[in-house]
Amino acid sequence: MNGQTYVTAFTNRYGVGPEGPINDFISRRGDRLLLADQIDLNAMAARYGAPLEVVYCPQITVQIERMRDWAEAARARSGYAGDFIYAYATKANFAEEVVRTAISSGAHYETSAAADVAIAHYLWQQGVLPSDRFIFCNGSKDHAYIAAIITLRHAGFTRVVPVIDDLDELETLLAMCREPLLLGVRERHAPADVDVNHPGGERFGLTPDEIARVVERLHHTPHRLVMYHAMVGSQIEDPERWNERLARSAEAYARLRQRAPSLWLFNFGGGMPTSAYSLDFRFDYAGFLERLMTMLAAVCDTHHIPQPTLVGEFGRYTVASHNVFIMEVGRVKCGQGAAPDWALLNGSLMVALPDSLIVPGQEFIILPLDGWNRPVRPVRLAGRLTCDSDDFFPRPGAPPLLLPEPYPGQKIAFFGVGAYQQMIAGRGGAHHCLTPEMRRIIIERDEDALVAREIAPQNLGQIMGLLGYARETLELPTPQHERMPAERRAPREPIRAPRPARRRNALRNAPPVRYGAERRGWGVRIRG
């Protein structure tokens, strides 16, 4: 590395200075790494140790508002007459605080299984999910999924939209439901149109002949076909290719609309890419939406039909960037020969980041919290809490990470972990090599304040209880040098009357951590 420091190599590689924004949700100020220019990750790690998960829910709101602003700008420039609907694909992250934040930020709801519908039903009953939002129900539907949809509709929720995935689903829905339904159809790609990078998606949806049979079946019934669902792929970063594929779907929509006048929603599906995985990421969101709207308007004009309301389903885009894992180097082992050194982390990568193992080419933004002035080195990261030879990153064939020369106690932040990682890993379960889940700090906005709650890491007794062992006999001793568990600390004085659990521990009342001229508490910048 020719004696370069990490900060010099990083600046040369990405063209950003050592101070200020690194991308649209990471910044560095005064040798401290910040999430959303608000959360001081160095301070969080100093206070809570590592491994640590930091969850910053206001970032979800930022993502939703940005996309809606881009859509509004695209409508203005293209003259598009239809509206725009933002739906959160809940399978990306089902955590209560995540779903609630997305809904409170204006998102509609997209489901993929019976449990999703049960959550939506509960949130509607609690007044969290308004009755004027749509619930789009995708995927293949077994009896439990269909029963959950029908129960929700019979309870009085009128804007649930089952998206028909096969004709038997349609017959079961019509036989079971006493109330009029709004329905959608999802197109099934022809073999020549299947995305080679997303081949599993080909199994979903209906052929053109099957869609025609749906239209015929709904004649003389109280049910209405309202949505056409066009799904191309996942994390699509080529807008021209994406619009080219959607143009074929737009033609199919237009022909169907001439036969089904109740049709008025064009769902271009998921696939919206996110900046959460790479500092090299570039995507013109507003430009993509403007081209999509311009194309749709032209197709509709040709076929003399109204311009539809656009629906987008956003999973990774919504939540990938809202949380961070912080891990600590426990040991450094020299690589053999010319191989890079191993930084052995006090955790497990394959448990915390399952996509790193199962998704080919999956990237994450990995940055050190400190040591930026140390010499830069190629490094391989590996989990220290498993005995699995696959527990390392980057994967075989990928170049090594460039990080400051590793040392025990070094803290490393993993960004882009808010979508799918804990859903695939199975939060709350027993994991590979019995690796415990890390401590979580969940930060939310409550009016003009940021408030947080702490969830303690799993202990051995909890894990053994899941496996059927006697919990009380299987606790490990606590080393003397480890800090006192959070539950033994003296509670802090709340600044307001007591709130539900998710609102406790008001951050702006915590002892401040001085940083320049600004006041910080618990690693959170408090303005004013």
Side-chain angles (χ1 to χ4, degrees), residues 2 51 57 97 102 132 148 196 209 238 265 315 362 374 381-382 499 522 526:
N2 299 321
C57 290
E97 68 274 2
D132 63 356
V196 295
D209 287 344
D238 184 347
L265 299 171
Q362 177 66 50
R374 291 173 65 89
L381 303 177
R499 291 180 177 271
W522 285 19
I526 309 300

Side-chain angles (χ1 to χ4, degrees), residues 264-314:
W264 66 282
L265 299 171
F266 181 84
N267 187 333
F268 64 89
M272 189 63 73
T274 169
S275 62
Y277 301 131
S278 173
L279 294 178
D280 291 321
F281 177 82
R282 300 290 184 274
F283 190 85
D284 181 2
Y285 294 99
F288 163 75
L289 290 170
E290 182 179 355
R291 288 192 293 274
L292 174 58
M293 292 176 182
T294 300
M295 177 271 292
L296 265 175
V299 170
C300 290
D301 289 346
T302 299
H303 290 269
H304 308 291
I305 61 171
Q307 297 171 19
T309 289
L310 268 180
V311 179
E313 297 170 354
F314 304 89

Side-chain angles (χ1 to χ4, degrees), residues 44 112 118 191 199 236 268 290 344 359 401 415 457 474 482 509:
M44 299 293 279
S112 56
I236 306 170
F268 64 89
E290 182 179 355
L344 305 183
V359 178
L401 295 169
F415 296 89
L474 284 168
E482 289 194 1
N509 198 50

Side-chain angles (χ1 to χ4, degrees), residues 26-61:
I26 308 171
S27 57
R28 189 167 184 264
R29 302 186 187 279
D31 295 333
R32 291 174 174 270
L33 203 60
L34 307 181
L35 173 62
D37 215 29
Q38 295 286 316
I39 307 303
D40 184 337
L41 298 177
N42 295 68
M44 299 293 279
R47 185 175 187 91
Y48 294 104
L52 178 69
E53 178 185 2
V54 179
V55 180
Y56 183 62
C57 290
Q59 181 65 24
I60 296 170
T61 301

Side-chain angles (χ1 to χ4, degrees), residues 359-381:
V359 178
Q362 177 66 50
E363 296 182 53
F364 293 97
I365 297 173
I366 301 173
L367 297 173
L369 294 192
D370 42 30
W372 284 55
N373 290 316
R374 291 173 65 89
V376 65
R377 294 286 186 268
V379 175
R380 294 173 293 177
L381 303 177

